[in-house]
Amino acid sequence: LRVLSYNVAGLPPGMSDSKPIQNMLRISPLLNDYDLVLVQEDFLFHRLLKLVARHPYKSEPQPLSGIINRDFLTKVRGISVSDLGDLSDFLGSDRLTNDGLNRFSVFPFTSFERHTWVACNGLTEGANDCLAPKGFSYARHEIADSVFIDVYNLHGDAGRSTEDEEARRQQFRELATFIQERSAGLPVIVAGDTNLQTPVPDDREAGRSEEHTSELQSRENLV
């Protein structure tokens, strides 16, 4: 089972120098080397990303916020990330974009769900995590006749402040609880952009919590 987890950096134009339009076209054919692909930051260019991907089973992207329109893109091209406070007039009560979490699979999957983290930190600072409804997605994949794996794709808080570290810790506790409740008795794959850094004590603790959950699952379900 060949699995790829990839943050494809599909940020709105003007907010990143990652050249998403060109890169999605380069990434798309490479996805065919994998049975299961879990992507993060697949915000605006999903059509390009899936253009030549041959996987028969794909998640439908979460709808974009109505904020993303021609007027918005004209404004965002003219500012830097450090000036994101100027965008607050566009936000209202919505997040800036969708969760960016999608999957491509050669295996059928059911029960697909998206969950936004209860905790996040940073709208105009702290890596701007609250601009997107970051969280995790879940689905049950049938990799052979009556053989199932629960697959989780996640994107953790990216900032480096104490508040960001606490947000990540709460996020992984939330994920661990969900896995224990939803995937008891089944093998699991947990992948994504964790934004964990092992030199950071709180991140180490969050990582150990995730590893402990996975270890309990693997002992319970020898595959």
Side-chain angles (χ1 to χ4, degrees), residues 4-51:
L4 171 69
S5 176
Y6 194 177
N7 184 323
V8 296
L11 294 165
M15 295 181 67
S16 170
D17 58 1
S18 60
K19 300 180 180 179
I21 295 176
Q22 298 94 316
N23 287 337
M24 296 301 171
L25 293 172
R26 294 170 179 157
I27 293 169
S28 185
L30 302 178
L31 303 184
N32 294 316
D33 292 337
Y34 300 90
D35 303 311
L36 173 62
V37 178
L38 305 171
V39 295
Q40 306 84 43
E41 293 194 6
D42 181 18
F43 294 132
L44 296 181
F45 306 100
H46 183 73
R47 288 185 180 181
L48 297 180
L49 186 63
K50 72 174 185 178
L51 190 62

Side-chain angles (χ1 to χ4, degrees), residues 118-138:
V118 173
C120 75
N121 183 69
L123 182 62
T124 59
E125 56 185 12
N128 317 110
D129 287 290
C130 300
L131 287 174
K134 282 187 173 183
F136 65 92
S137 67
Y138 157 84

Side-chain angles (χ1 to χ4, degrees), residues 8-216:
V8 296
L11 294 165
M15 295 181 67
S16 170
D17 58 1
S18 60
K19 300 180 180 179
I21 295 176
Q22 298 94 316
N23 287 337
M24 296 301 171
L25 293 172
R26 294 170 179 157
I27 293 169
S28 185
L30 302 178
L31 303 184
N32 294 316
D33 292 337
Y34 300 90
D35 303 311
L36 173 62
V37 178
L38 305 171
V39 295
Q40 306 84 43
E41 293 194 6
D42 181 18
F43 294 132
L44 296 181
F45 306 100
H46 183 73
R47 288 185 180 181
L48 297 180
L49 186 63
K50 72 174 185 178
L51 190 62
V52 295
R54 297 190 298 268
H55 302 78
Y57 305 99
K58 304 177 181 71
S59 62
E60 286 295 324
Q62 193 177 45
L64 287 170
S65 166
I67 294 165
I68 301 293
N69 53 41
R70 188 180 300 274
D71 290 341
F72 171 82
L73 293 176
T74 299
K75 182 175 180 63
V76 80
R77 288 191 188 101
I79 69 168
S80 67
V81 173
S82 62
D83 295 326
L84 275 173
D86 295 342
L87 300 180
S88 58
D89 290 342
F90 287 93
L91 295 178
S93 60
D94 292 329
R95 302 292 180 99
L96 174 61
T97 184
N98 55 26
D99 65 4
L101 298 173
N102 286 305
R103 63 184 65 198
F104 302 75
S105 177
V106 301
F107 309 110
F109 58 85
T110 58
S111 305
F112 181 79
E113 300 177 19
R114 298 178 183 274
H115 293 265
T116 301
W117 301 124
V118 173
C120 75
N121 183 69
L123 182 62
T124 59
E125 56 185 12
N128 317 110
D129 287 290
C130 300
L131 287 174
K134 282 187 173 183
F136 65 92
S137 67
Y138 157 84
R140 183 160 293 173
H141 292 245
E142 187 173 13
I143 65 169
D145 188 26
S146 299
V147 179
F148 300 94
I149 297 180
D150 280 2
V151 179
Y152 294 83
N153 181 23
L154 67 100
H155 195 182
D157 197 278
R160 294 301 157 202
S161 69
T162 301
E163 292 78 12
D164 293 309
E165 293 166 11
E166 177 58 28
R168 277 192 294 278
R169 182 159 51 180
Q170 292 182 42
Q171 290 167 1
F172 280 96
R173 286 174 177 166
E174 180 183 346
L175 176 61
T177 298
F178 187 95
I179 292 173
Q180 289 167 346
E181 293 175 352
R182 181 61 59 88
S183 301
L186 285 172
V188 300
I189 293 174
V190 181
D193 185 352
T194 67
N195 277 309
L196 293 171
Q197 293 190 349
T198 52
V200 179
D202 280 349
D203 281 356
R204 262 202 319 275
E205 179 183 338
R208 281 199 300 268
S209 297
E210 181 191 9
E211 290 168 4
H212 180 59
T213 300
S214 300
E215 181 182 359
L216 289 176

